[in-house]
């Protein structure tokens, strides 16, 4: 049997980049059951409500929705359960110090397969204020308009 190579994206948390300023990201493994992995292979997951936390020197991922496997039976998993994150002890200590400093939270950004294993990218993030969100949207719109103007100018010159 051939092993998977590369990275295959399952789900992203687009709302997190809008709601938070991302400070630092970490890649973590996930402790999953068999039906969860099969459901993820079908590309079904939702990170939008998810968050992570540190409890007794262990990292946990909560409120991430992985729907039940369609061909599963009594061995199926609960769709929104707490899942353990696999991180190095040093990473856990760094993350817990950053979070305890205040104003920071742990947010899952994306869920993906890396060489056949499920990984989650988590980030230490600080919440944006409403005016920061508006400023980000305004900057994105301005760059889009500038690119559009450059394209039209380049077409006129041809």
């Amino acid at each position: 049997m051939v092993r998977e190579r590369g990275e295959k994206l399952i789900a992203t948390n687009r709302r997190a980049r809008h709601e938070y300023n991302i400070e630092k990201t970490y890649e973590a493994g996930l402790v999953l059951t068999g039906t969860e992995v099969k459901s993820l292979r079908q590309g079904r997951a939702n990170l939008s409500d998810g968050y992570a936390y540190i409890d007794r020197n262990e990292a946990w991922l909560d409120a991430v929705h992985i729907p039940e496997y369609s061909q599963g039976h009594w061995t199926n998993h609960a769709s929104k359960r707490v899942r353990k994150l696999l991180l190095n002890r040093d990473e856990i200590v760094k993350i817990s110090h950053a979070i305890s400093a205040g104003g920071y939270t742990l947010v899952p950004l994306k869920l993906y397969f890396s060489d056949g294993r499920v990984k989650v990218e988590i980030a230490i993030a600080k919440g944006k204020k409403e005016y920061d969100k508006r400023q980000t949207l305004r900057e994105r719109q301005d760059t889009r308009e500038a690119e559009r103007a450059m394209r039209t100018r380049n077409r006129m010159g041809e």
Side-chain angles (χ1 to χ4, degrees):
M1 189 162 146
V2 180
R3 285 190 60 97
E4 286 185 43
R5 292 279 175 224
E7 204 172 278
K8 180 186 169 200
L9 188 65
I10 301 167
T12 58
N13 189 354
R14 294 175 60 204
R15 200 174 98 201
R17 296 203 184 268
H18 177 69
E19 304 256 337
Y20 299 99
N21 283 325
I22 307 300
E23 300 289 325
K24 184 160 171 120
T25 60
Y26 293 94
E27 180 184 66
L30 229 63
V31 176
L32 299 171
T33 63
T35 54
E36 285 174 321
V37 176
K38 289 180 179 185
S39 183
L40 289 174
R41 288 204 186 281
Q42 292 177 340
R44 300 167 59 205
N46 187 356
L47 293 174
S48 62
D49 297 330
Y51 63 96
Y53 62 93
I54 308 262
D55 184 33
R56 294 189 217 118
N57 292 327
E58 290 183 337
W60 300 91
L61 184 66
D62 198 5
V64 170
H65 182 73
I66 299 175
E68 290 185 352
Y69 181 55
S70 56
Q71 281 87 37
H73 43 83
W74 61 272
T75 58
N76 242 334
H77 62 278
S79 60
K80 277 196 177 183
R81 69 177 186 89
V82 180
R83 296 167 179 94
K84 188 174 181 178
L85 292 173
L86 303 173
L87 288 164
N88 290 335
R89 179 79 55 205
D90 298 339
E91 291 174 331
I92 292 174
V93 169
K94 285 179 188 175
I95 291 170
S96 64
H97 286 306
I99 292 172
S100 64
Y104 290 97
T105 186
L106 261 180
V107 180
L109 296 179
K110 68 179 181 177
L111 194 62
Y112 57 97
F113 283 103
S114 176
D115 294 337
R117 301 194 189 279
V118 179
K119 303 287 184 180
V120 63
E121 184 178 89
I122 57 173
I124 297 173
K126 190 170 204 140
K128 284 185 182 178
K129 304 283 189 227
E130 195 63 37
Y131 56 85
D132 290 334
K133 294 178 192 176
R134 284 194 298 266
Q135 181 67 27
T136 306
L137 288 173
R138 198 172 301 121
E139 288 171 359
R140 193 179 310 145
Q141 187 176 11
D142 290 344
T143 56
R144 250 190 234 132
E145 288 175 3
E147 288 173 1
R148 192 174 297 132
M150 293 297 283
R151 273 197 306 260
T152 57
R153 186 185 306 156
N154 288 342
R155 288 183 190 152
M156 296 282 212
E158 290 177 354

